[in-house]
Amino acid sequence: MKLLPIFLFGALILTPLNMKSSNDYLDGNGGGKKKVVTNKTTPKKNTPKKTSKEIAAVTKKEFKIEGVNKAILSKYFDLEEKNFEKPQLQSFESAFKGYFRLKSEGKINKEILTIIDFTQSSTEKRMWVIDMKKNEIIFQTVVSHGRNSGKEFANDFSNTPETFKSSLGFYKTAETYMGANGLSLRLDGLETGINDNARSRAIVIHGADYADENLGQRQGYLGRSLGCPALPLKNHKEIIEFIKEESCLFIYHDGSNDYLNKSKLLN
């Protein structure tokens, strides 16, 4: 993504940032058995339902930089990309708000923020791992979504067991284990009714041969999981070791007003 022009700072309308302050599981990949259309514009009657790809294009176009808090915008502009690309500003803004609140409440310990933007095509590198202390991107990679959340684009999310769908929202990374998918990382969903069934659903981060960028380019979509954010085999171990044990993970979709309006961490 190209950097936004610096002169936009002069047009900002600054708004203050709200800074309030083991059971046995089936192996990961969302196999646990325990126990969303933008409204930024008013659709005309009889308007055909937009695809997830069209929603992504519309919401990116209509996003207003003027409403972004100055501190968040500064953090975003100063974010060191290295050889990567920045996440979209709107996903970074939401992720930063939730991260700051969770950090101030002592619910996460590490100064690491992982953002997964399911607004984007699964063929894109839509997962970022950011060192918040150094303010730099450490990893950017493709990541799979649940097979019942969509094909190329994820647009249907659930917290219900055995739906094989992804869940949005904020998570705390937990312990690692060795399972059928090799080194895997357990996740604890931090938002009641949105993703708090993650552990009992066995929603974990793991490596998978279907989470392959070349496969995605060949067939037009990345291979899908049973609900887990699955990573490429070439780098999943390195990423898991970096983000494990109480760092913040945020899964975002800018067409899901149901989540964006319901999340207590964002409102």
Side-chain angles (χ1 to χ4, degrees), residues 36-38 52 55 116-120 126 143-169 171 193-195 201 203 226-229 250-260 262:
V36 272
V37 199
T38 181
S52 184
I55 290 173
I116 297 175
D117 185 358
F118 277 155
T119 313
Q120 299 189 23
R126 55 184 180 170
V143 58
S144 293
H145 57 254
R147 70 185 187 195
N148 288 338
S149 283
K151 194 172 184 180
E152 179 186 355
F153 289 86
N155 53 22
D156 194 1
F157 307 99
S158 177
N159 189 38
T160 304
E162 299 185 80
T163 55
F164 306 141
K165 295 179 182 180
S166 299
S167 299
L168 300 176
Y171 298 77
I194 295 172
N195 61 19
R201 291 178 64 201
I203 300 298
L226 298 183
C228 295
F250 177 55
I251 301 180
Y252 173 83
H253 191 290
D254 70 5
S256 180
N257 286 332
D258 181 59
Y259 166 71
L260 296 175
K262 185 178 179 181

Side-chain angles (χ1 to χ4, degrees), residues 95 98-99 102 108 110 112-115 170-173 243 246-250:
Y99 165 85
L102 291 169
I108 55 172
K110 290 186 174 180
I112 297 169
L113 172 61
T114 301
I115 302 173
F170 288 90
Y171 298 77
K172 177 172 66 176
T173 65
I243 69 175
E246 299 191 20
S247 73
C248 180
L249 166 70
F250 177 55

Side-chain angles (χ1 to χ4, degrees), residues 173-242:
T173 65
E175 74 278 10
T176 60
Y177 69 97
M178 293 298 296
N181 295 301
L183 182 66
S184 303
L185 175 63
R186 296 209 188 277
L187 301 173
D188 290 314
L190 300 177
E191 302 200 69
T192 303
I194 295 172
N195 61 19
D196 57 331
N197 286 330
R199 185 171 279 260
S200 62
R201 291 178 64 201
I203 300 298
V204 304
I205 293 180
H206 63 81
D209 57 3
Y210 55 77
D212 180 83
E213 185 177 359
N214 293 327
L215 173 64
Q217 294 296 334
R218 288 197 304 271
Q219 66 182 14
Y221 60 93
L222 205 65
R224 293 161 293 169
S225 68
L226 298 183
C228 295
L231 301 178
L233 292 174
K234 66 180 181 181
N235 60 7
H236 79 285
K237 292 180 181 179
E238 188 178 7
I239 293 174
I240 286 173
E241 289 292 345
F242 189 80

